[in-house]
Amino acid sequence: MKRRTLLKLAAGSAALSGLSPVSLVVAAPLKELRLDYAYYSPVSLVLRRFGWLEEEFKADGVQVRWVLSAGSNRALEYLNANSIDIGSSAGLAALLAKANGNPIKTPYIFSRPEWTALVVRKDSPIRSVADLKGKKVAATKGTDPYLFLLRSLQTAGLKRSDIEHVSLQHADGRAALEQGKVDAWAGLDPHMAASELEAGSKLIYRNVAFNTYGFLNVREEFLATRPAEVARVIKAYERARAWVIANPSEAAKILSEEAKVTLPVALLQVKLRSDFSNPQPGSEHVKALQVAAPILKAEALVKSDTDLNRAIAELVDTRFAQPYITKA
């Protein structure tokens, strides 16, 4: 049978079954699994430390390649460039990327964190969001802290144009704040917790609801053609998540060693600012994005005619991981 005829039959079968034609392609054996780890995702650090993915794929001869993501922006850049298959980011950052053409889906939630806030030096006269008008504020574009900053400014009737935004990666933002090069910083743990405990920096605005969830994103093509491999990654993540819940102090020690922060800093992040209880994407994650999404248009981060509700629906996969989630 000719190749063209086979492709037509595959497309017809896909239409009848509700699957995309790409999902019917028989992929060649996987040689390398590429995924990130991040200091803002303690579960990823545990998974990498114990080698559970390497153990899972060893019999298949699959190499596991880990790439460090310094922020959501980096993880999403790597995914968009096809440098990794699976990457960790904040939910609103993932939506921003998706709305701007990054072909990703989110089948798993790695945490519900309070990982960002607005931070000033211990001797700063700044006491509120309103005091930021006209000030230099560091934040990493394309990340939850940056979007948190924009939403926080909105609560005080301010816009991005009312401040001087200084675009720095998270660790550099901390350094700039402590060195007096900027007036405030939209921080990210563990750097933010370290600045609090070690430099006496103050959090002038906190809002757990403005912290979007930790999204484990997968390239659409990879999820479509290799669902079995993605399922095995999620099951390994579940093993690591259960271990973190059962051993928070030990997880904090791993974070401390990996991120090169003190144990008290790591304990603050893992025990007090992270909730690992619900990895299943669902209505709460969709609603959180729907509430947050208007800031993307208000600050012209997406085109004015972008259908954000559609982008949310296409991003959050509420079904894929259900069979693999460990019930509490």
Side-chain angles (χ1 to χ4, degrees), residues 120-166:
V120 298
R121 289 184 300 281
K122 62 181 179 180
D123 58 352
S124 173
I126 296 171
R127 295 286 183 270
S128 69
V129 177
D131 294 339
L132 294 177
K133 187 171 183 179
K135 298 295 193 293
K136 289 184 178 181
V137 185
T140 311
K141 272 193 170 183
T143 68
D144 222 27
Y146 178 67
L147 298 167
F148 180 94
L149 168 63
L150 298 183
R151 297 176 76 188
S152 302
L153 290 172
Q154 221 176 34
T155 67
L158 300 177
K159 303 186 296 295
R160 178 174 49 174
S161 58
D162 291 316
I163 63 165
E164 183 179 342
H165 170 239
V166 180

Side-chain angles (χ1 to χ4, degrees), residues 124-313:
S124 173
I126 296 171
R127 295 286 183 270
S128 69
V129 177
D131 294 339
L132 294 177
K133 187 171 183 179
K135 298 295 193 293
K136 289 184 178 181
V137 185
T140 311
K141 272 193 170 183
T143 68
D144 222 27
Y146 178 67
L147 298 167
F148 180 94
L149 168 63
L150 298 183
R151 297 176 76 188
S152 302
L153 290 172
Q154 221 176 34
T155 67
L158 300 177
K159 303 186 296 295
R160 178 174 49 174
S161 58
D162 291 316
I163 63 165
E164 183 179 342
H165 170 239
V166 180
S167 187
L168 294 170
Q169 202 63 43
H170 302 300
D172 298 326
R174 175 195 173 186
L177 176 73
E178 294 177 3
Q179 293 166 10
K181 295 179 180 177
V182 296
D183 301 296
W185 167 51
L188 181 75
D189 279 338
H191 311 292
M192 183 172 73
S195 191
E196 267 186 282
L197 297 183
E198 296 168 7
S201 299
K202 298 179 296 185
L203 308 188
I204 61 161
Y205 185 74
R206 298 173 69 172
N207 189 332
V208 176
F210 282 6
N211 288 252
T212 53
Y213 298 76
F215 277 32
L216 190 68
N217 309 297
V218 185
R219 289 190 304 105
E220 287 180 342
E221 185 270 341
F222 191 81
L223 182 60
T225 58
R226 299 191 181 277
E229 286 86 349
V230 176
R232 291 165 74 182
V233 171
I234 287 175
K235 285 190 279 188
Y237 253 88
E238 278 294 271
R239 182 179 180 184
R241 181 180 70 91
W243 190 91
V244 170
I245 291 172
N247 305 278
S249 296
E250 290 83 353
K253 185 179 179 184
I254 291 173
L255 170 61
S256 171
E257 293 167 356
E258 292 288 337
K260 295 179 173 55
V261 296
T262 66
L263 186 56
V265 166
L267 286 167
L268 177 58
Q269 179 180 342
V270 173
K271 285 193 169 184
L272 299 181
R273 292 184 181 164
S274 300
D275 178 356
F276 304 103
S277 64
N278 183 18
Q280 173 60 52
S283 59
E284 69 176 283
H285 309 102
V286 170
K287 289 175 183 175
L289 291 182
Q290 289 171 337
V291 169
I295 195 67
L296 303 182
K297 285 192 176 181
E299 292 289 353
L301 300 176
V302 297
K303 293 180 181 177
S304 59
D305 60 350
T306 300
D307 186 341
L308 290 173
N309 283 329
R310 179 177 177 179
I312 292 168

Side-chain angles (χ1 to χ4, degrees), residues 30 32 34 75-87 98 102-107 216-226 230:
L30 185 66
E32 184 179 59
R34 308 167 302 168
L76 293 162
E77 287 167 8
Y78 300 152
L79 285 162
N80 198 37
N82 192 13
S83 298
I84 59 175
D85 305 305
I86 300 170
K98 178 75 170 181
N102 197 331
I104 54 173
K105 292 188 79 68
T106 305
L216 190 68
N217 309 297
V218 185
R219 289 190 304 105
E220 287 180 342
E221 185 270 341
F222 191 81
L223 182 60
T225 58
R226 299 191 181 277
V230 176

Side-chain angles (χ1 to χ4, degrees), residues 107-108 234 279-282 317-327:
Y108 189 81
I234 287 175
Q280 173 60 52
D317 189 329
T318 60
R319 294 184 295 177
F320 183 87
Q322 284 182 357
Y324 317 114
I325 300 296
T326 304
K327 305 301 179 184

